[in-house]
Amino acid sequence: MCGRLSQYRGIHDFVETLSLPEAWRNNVGDQPLGRYNVAPTTPVAVLRVDDAGPRADLVRWGWRPHWATDRAAPINARVEKVAHGPFFRAIWPHRAITPIDGWYEWVDEGGPKKQPYYIRRRDGRPALCASIGQFAGSEHDGFVIITADAEGGMVDVHDRRPVVLSPELAREWMAPGTPKEQTEQMALNLGEPAEAFEWYRVSTAVGNVRNQGAELIKPISEPGQQDRLTL
């Protein structure tokens, strides 16, 4: 999964997708986020549950343990090793959902530049991405999105994809009482399949993080080619 995503709907839209009836502490705001080109190290809206109930916060995308000062903070964690490797051990128990409208991947199609693709749920709903992070209210807070191997036609776009959960599984993922072994199996085996998504070419303007706006997610066609909207 490459390091760009979109989060243009509002928190209320994301929470509605989760179907959690409890009152949320919204530290993000009520307006649409309007972000079509979100880059690593920037604040991203994240949903989680703590001792006081559900909450929405802006958290930096990327995290590393205090002892890993020799590398940049990763933005993703591989599902195959995240539950048992030492790098993410401290934050594996701290689960969250990152609700996104879609994400971008870049494909080498033989042109002068790699071609960006936008990937989103086929049904138009937000993608509820399994995430973990540090949420202590300090300058060291951050989160990563868990990724798995791509499957089906999605492999042609990228070999990794975020682990996207159904609303029911997302609620279980966030629940503090869900056993760690159960959440590991959810991440390994119960992510939404490739058939749940569609993807298509978009403008290379998304390569510049300063570019924002809804035009970035509009399909484009190349001469003699059709937009790829199906698997």
Side-chain angles (χ1 to χ4, degrees):
M1 177 182 175
C2 290
R4 295 289 173 82
L5 55 84
S6 68
Q7 241 188 8
Y8 54 81
R9 278 178 270 208
I11 286 298
H12 295 292
D13 297 312
F14 296 141
V15 168
E16 183 179 358
T17 300
L18 270 170
S19 298
L20 264 177
E22 302 176 58
W24 283 73
R25 283 169 293 158
N26 181 1
N27 298 312
V28 176
D30 295 326
Q31 299 302 311
L33 294 172
R35 303 180 68 196
Y36 290 86
N37 194 7
V38 181
T41 75
T42 61
V44 174
V46 173
L47 309 178
R48 61 189 180 92
V49 178
D50 64 13
D51 293 340
R55 60 185 296 159
D57 298 287
L58 291 172
V59 184
R60 184 176 64 244
W61 185 16
W63 181 88
R64 66 183 179 189
H66 65 87
W67 45 265
T69 56
D70 60 338
R71 69 194 79 179
I75 59 172
N76 302 320
R78 299 175 69 93
V79 69
E80 298 86 353
K81 60 177 69 173
V82 63
H84 303 287
F87 197 91
F88 295 108
R89 182 177 295 139
I91 62 170
W92 170 245
H94 306 304
R95 301 182 301 274
I97 289 292
T98 305
I100 65 174
D101 291 291
W103 72 97
Y104 300 92
E105 302 288 2
W106 277 257
V107 180
D108 187 352
E109 296 185 335
K113 294 182 178 180
K114 288 186 176 182
Q115 174 61 52
Y117 280 73
Y118 185 63
I119 306 172
R120 64 186 181 188
R121 286 191 63 102
R122 190 182 297 277
D123 60 12
R125 296 189 306 176
L128 304 175
C129 301
S131 307
I132 55 174
Q134 177 176 321
F135 310 112
S138 75
E139 61 180 327
H140 303 296
D141 284 2
F143 78 96
V144 296
I145 294 173
I146 298 177
T147 66
D149 283 338
E151 57 180 22
M154 193 181 288
V155 174
D156 294 339
V157 180
H158 201 270
D159 61 349
R160 304 293 294 181
R161 60 187 171 95
V163 173
V164 176
L165 300 175
S166 68
E168 179 182 3
L169 291 176
R171 294 193 298 270
E172 291 185 36
W173 175 265
M174 291 191 301
T178 304
K180 296 179 183 178
E181 297 79 8
Q182 182 176 336
T183 56
E184 180 182 3
Q185 291 305 309
M186 289 165 54
L188 283 168
N189 302 313
L190 298 179
E192 296 279 65
E195 290 79 8
F197 301 91
E198 62 182 10
W199 52 87
Y200 51 84
R201 294 177 180 88
V202 293
S203 169
T204 55
V206 73
N208 187 335
V209 73
R210 290 177 295 181
N211 293 329
Q212 295 288 337
E215 67 276 6
L216 295 178
I217 66 170
K218 291 183 178 179
I220 63 166
S221 294
E222 296 181 1
Q225 294 182 323
Q226 295 181 346
D227 293 326
R228 184 173 181 177
L229 288 167
T230 59
L231 292 174

